Amino acid sequence: MDGTRPHLIRPRRRNGVLRFVVDGQVVYSAYARHPGTRPNNFLARALRLGR
């Protein structure tokens, strides 16, 4: 598939916060920076390999 560009992740609710668990600690944040994902053309590769 195509992958994604880097983007911000924000809470759905207007004055909400995001909740993460990092090293066993609960962390709250107003937003998170997603680094994006690389393209992964798994479907075409599987069809080409006949799986």
Side-chain angles (χ1 to χ4, degrees), residues 3 9 11 15-20 29 31 40-41 43 45 51:
I9 299 174
N15 289 318
V17 293
L18 299 172
R19 179 183 180 274
F20 300 97
S29 178
Y31 64 91
N40 182 2
N41 201 356
L43 189 56
R45 190 168 50 249
R51 295 183 182 178

Side-chain angles (χ1 to χ4, degrees), residues 1-41:
M1 303 335 233
D2 294 337
T4 60
R5 296 175 58 134
H7 59 279
L8 288 179
I9 299 174
R10 298 181 185 267
R12 291 182 183 201
R13 294 186 181 163
R14 187 169 168 93
N15 289 318
V17 293
L18 299 172
R19 179 183 180 274
F20 300 97
V21 177
V22 179
D23 294 330
Q25 300 274 351
V26 178
V27 178
Y28 297 95
S29 178
Y31 64 91
R33 294 178 192 266
H34 190 284
T37 56
R38 294 175 57 186
N40 182 2
N41 201 356

